[in-house]
Amino acid sequence: MSNERVIIFDTTLRDGEQAPGAAMTINEKLRIAHQLARLKVDVIEAGFPISSPAQFEAVQRIAKEVEGPVICGLARAVEDDVRAAGEALITGTKTRIHTFIATSDIHINAKFGDDRFGKTMEEKRQTILRMTDEAVRLARTYTNDVEFSAEDAGRTDLDFLCEVVAVASAAGATTINIPDTTGYCVPKEYAELFRMARERCGLPEHVILSTHCHDDLGLAVANSLAGVLAGARQIECTINGIGERAGNASLEEVVMALKVRSGRFGLDTGINTPLLTETSKMVSIATGFMVPPNKAVVGGNAFSHEAGIHQHGVLKSRETYEIMKAEDVGQEAEAIRLGRHSGRHGLFNRLEKLGVFVGDEQKQEVYQKFVDLADRKKEIYDEDLLHLVEDARAKARTNHYRLDQMHVSSGTGREPRAEVLVYHHATDVAQKEVADGDGPVDAIYKAIDQATGSHHDLISYSIRSVSEGADAMGEVTVLISDGGAYFRGLARSTDVLQASADAYVEALNQLEAFRTEEKSVAFVGNGIMQSFQGGIA
Ligand code: KIV
Ligand code: ZN
């Protein structure tokens, strides 16, 4: 008998993007949505259309351009929100509106405190029931696939939760989500909510119950799994577990728990698990959130063995210390660590696997650096190799551009403007350009593009603080691409605009070197994904 199916509802682009600092551009969202479709998630929650024109456009474009999964838009249980979600999804073929309303007393008091929602808690709850009914019915006029969430269900009075669930179902909700919005529940009590919903709320068989867990107590994955054991058949989760505050349940962890322990759960997902690590890296690059090396499933160390006793065991049989196959999640079977005896062949083989191409004229230089490093360091990691190659390349390369001057002005009520002076090595001429932008960095990049005349795609920009205090050092990483090749620029400064400009010029210099004479080092095609072990920091 085959296992029952659990629907994987990915909310990386909605709840995940709500993580402070994780905002993504529309192009980044589209790229991730296509990747989620390759990963074979069942539902992509693409955004919250009423919340901003950019959110609306992202949902609209994903619904129009991404095939495979159901595309979902979020809406509060109010008319304008539901209509905005319906409009944004209108061109999609498989679409869902996800409408929600707060149901716990704490939330009701905070959000519906005004007397117009009712004077007593009982009256306010009646208002919530009415709004639930109206929102779900309105959503059904746009699509037959409607999800309802009782926000803060984890702290909601059980009788009232049951009433709301019953009203949503009667109004036509096809999925009912019981979120632990604040990450408050422990697995046993979260599971109880699902048993209660099935047993007491009179739900028809076809209505699917869903988990949605936050990780405030580090229990999001455990609670999601407890939910499916108690009858939920949809899990809402995000890549790398990103999301509000401490984040959401991590997709890769719930999916692999169901797969590795399939005997215990008896449930399947449709996820194409060998794409998990690649997808994790893509989200890490787009958000600038590093994946910790010890992160379950997709972390750089998840399949590395350091202690001698573990290494011996694994060499004899991988099962001694590994419960899943590295290749099943898109990691390498063994984290190969090069040492001084690895030789030229081992080195260039490894670089090739990382997607790094080294031209013949640079091979000796790179190899010599490797030998020097191997004398000082017992084991050489992929990150060491990438640094080493980048150093060799920077030394050998003629810099085509140099940023000689930059002036940026921005302020309340005025459009940011940047003026740059870029020196061109080939012509010995310095080019001055001025550009306006959506923000100061955008203005700088536009001015530099004009001054260099370069055409390429900006794939990602991320910034992180690498020291503390108001004068903290900012580290900017920029990734640009031209055709199948990718180029990274990295710069540090206490002036983040300067670091942003320097990183960009560095990436352009690499691109130009690749385009013209040198073709020395580039990250090729998907190699970029392997090249950023642990994110782009
Ligand atoms: O955490 C939450 O309750 C949510 C809802 C919108 C489902 O994100
Ligand atoms: Zn949430």
Side-chain angles (χ1 to χ4, degrees):
M1 210 182 75
S2 65
N3 284 340
E4 258 188 75
R5 188 74 150 60
V6 174
I7 294 167
I8 296 296
F9 175 115
D10 180 277
T11 182
T12 307
L13 300 177
R14 199 279 297 170
D15 217 334
E17 207 214 11
Q18 284 175 219
M24 293 172 246
T25 64
I26 292 179
N27 282 340
E28 281 167 339
K29 287 186 188 177
L30 263 170
R31 203 171 298 115
I32 289 172
H34 281 294
Q35 177 73 8
L36 292 171
R38 288 180 66 218
L39 186 64
K40 295 214 174 330
V41 305
D42 300 288
V43 185
I44 295 175
E45 187 163 50
F48 191 176
I50 191 108
S51 65
S52 73
Q55 287 272 338
F56 186 94
E57 191 185 336
V59 175
Q60 191 175 46
R61 288 193 53 194
I62 291 170
K64 197 166 168 196
E65 296 173 33
V66 177
E67 283 172 17
V70 171
I71 308 299
C72 172
L74 184 69
R76 287 166 300 187
V78 292
E79 180 174 347
D80 287 353
D81 279 44
V82 175
R83 290 203 186 282
E87 294 303 322
L89 293 166
I90 212 124
T91 52
T93 44
K94 293 193 316 189
T95 59
R96 171 181 297 187
I97 295 177
H98 174 190
T99 185
F100 72 100
I101 196 161
T103 53
S104 69
D105 288 1
I106 299 175
H107 275 233
I108 293 175
N109 278 328
K111 297 177 181 171
F112 298 92
D114 195 293
D115 279 357
R116 74 195 150 101
F117 297 111
K119 287 199 173 58
T120 61
M121 180 53 76
E122 189 40 44
E123 285 171 7
K124 291 181 196 299
R125 285 182 174 176
Q126 290 307 316
T127 305
I128 303 258
L129 293 175
R130 180 179 49 75
M131 290 172 76
T132 299
D133 178 68
E134 287 172 4
V136 172
R137 284 183 198 284
L138 180 60
R140 281 295 301 247
T141 64
Y142 289 92
T143 167
N144 288 335
D145 187 345
V146 172
E147 172 167 336
F148 170 77
S149 286
E151 194 190 13
D152 202 18
R155 294 187 298 173
T156 296
D157 170 80
L158 287 188
D159 290 336
F160 182 56
L161 182 59
C162 201
E163 271 187 80
V164 186
V165 164
V167 165
S169 156
T174 42
T175 300
I176 291 190
N177 183 27
I178 303 188
D180 182 21
T181 304
T182 54
Y184 176 75
C185 293
V186 296
K188 202 159 175 261
E189 67 196 351
Y190 191 58
E192 268 316 305
L193 301 180
F194 291 88
R195 283 197 196 95
M196 182 225 45
R198 255 309 153 219
E199 286 161 15
R200 282 180 40 197
C201 311
L203 291 177
E205 269 298 300
H206 72 267
V207 169
I208 290 173
L209 290 176
S210 174
T211 68
H212 178 112
C213 300
H214 281 269
D215 211 26
D216 300 65
L217 292 174
L219 293 171
V221 169
N223 282 340
S224 306
L225 297 174
V228 290
L229 281 176
R233 286 296 174 267
Q234 173 176 286
I235 298 179
E236 303 196 357
C237 45
T238 60
I239 300 294
N240 298 338
I242 62 169
E244 280 279 3
R245 305 180 311 279
N248 290 62
S250 135
L251 182 147
E252 53 279 7
E253 293 175 22
V254 288
V255 165
M256 290 315 291
L258 292 175
K259 189 176 163 93
V260 170
R261 302 301 311 276
S262 117
R264 173 87 180 82
F265 290 99
L267 296 167
D268 286 337
T269 71
I271 296 296
N272 184 5
T273 62
L275 291 186
L276 283 172
T277 301
E278 183 179 314
T279 313
S280 154
K281 285 180 178 165
M282 189 182 253
V283 169
S284 167
I285 288 173
T287 56
F289 285 11
M290 269 184 64
V291 177
N294 63 331
K295 165 87 175 61
V297 182
V298 293
N301 286 350
F303 296 89
S304 297
H305 304 274
E306 199 55 52
I309 189 168
H310 285 214
Q311 286 188 349
H312 274 120
V314 167
L315 283 178
K316 278 214 171 107
S317 155
R318 301 206 68 84
E319 280 172 17
T320 47
Y321 289 102
E322 288 181 2
I323 58 166
M324 58 191 134
K325 289 202 185 108
E327 46 277 30
D328 282 352
V329 302
Q331 295 239 33
E332 291 211 3
E334 274 161 81
I336 301 167
R337 285 164 188 182
L338 296 179
R340 63 191 314 249
H341 302 297
S342 305
R344 280 178 82 92
H345 185 71
L347 169 67
F348 292 112
N349 234 347
R350 182 72 201 140
L351 284 170
E352 208 175 294
K353 276 204 171 146
L354 289 172
V356 179
F357 168 77
V358 182
D360 282 344
E361 69 285 3
Q362 281 197 290
K363 280 198 166 145
Q364 184 50 33
E365 158 107 26
V366 170
Y367 181 61
Q368 194 49 52
K369 277 181 169 284
F370 168 73
V371 172
D372 293 346
L373 185 64
D375 274 343
R376 284 179 278 125
K377 217 166 170 265
K378 205 167 88 210
E379 282 177 328
I380 299 183
Y381 297 84
D382 291 346
E383 267 302 303
D384 297 324
L385 288 183
L386 293 172
H387 282 307
L388 184 147
V389 165
E390 283 186 1
D391 279 0
R393 179 214 49 223
K395 210 175 128 213
R397 192 186 63 213
T398 318
N399 274 337
H400 290 253
Y401 307 117
R402 190 180 68 218
L403 181 65
D404 278 352
Q405 278 174 29
M406 179 177 83
H407 179 74
V408 186
S409 57
S410 70
T412 320
R414 52 191 285 209
E415 203 174 359
R417 169 164 296 189
E419 185 182 305
V420 298
L421 184 68
V422 177
Y423 172 77
H424 288 233
H425 183 268
T427 53
D428 195 24
V429 169
Q431 177 84 22
K432 190 180 213 159
E433 289 292 339
V434 179
D436 295 334
D438 291 338
V441 175
D442 187 44
I444 294 170
Y445 286 9
K446 282 188 175 135
I448 293 175
D449 283 348
Q450 287 169 20
T452 57
S454 176
H455 297 285
H456 54 266
D457 291 323
L458 175 62
I459 302 295
S460 74
Y461 166 92
S462 70
I463 181 162
R464 68 178 188 125
S465 163
V466 286
S467 55
E468 285 182 8
D471 60 349
M473 182 80 95
E475 182 181 86
V476 174
T477 308
V478 174
L479 190 65
I480 61 175
S481 87
D482 182 34
Y486 294 77
F487 306 88
R488 176 169 70 159
L490 186 141
R492 288 178 170 191
S493 170
T494 47
D495 175 346
V496 292
L497 294 181
Q498 188 65 49
S500 302
D502 291 345
Y504 196 55
V505 172
E506 156 76 4
L508 286 176
N509 273 324
Q510 290 190 39
L511 166 59
E512 212 43 53
F514 184 69
R515 272 183 187 155
T516 54
E517 80 276 22
E518 291 156 20
K519 289 209 182 293
S520 55
V521 176
F523 299 108
V524 183
N526 268 341
I528 190 68
M529 293 306 163
Q530 292 154 10
S531 304
F532 289 112
Q533 281 283 5
I536 52 175

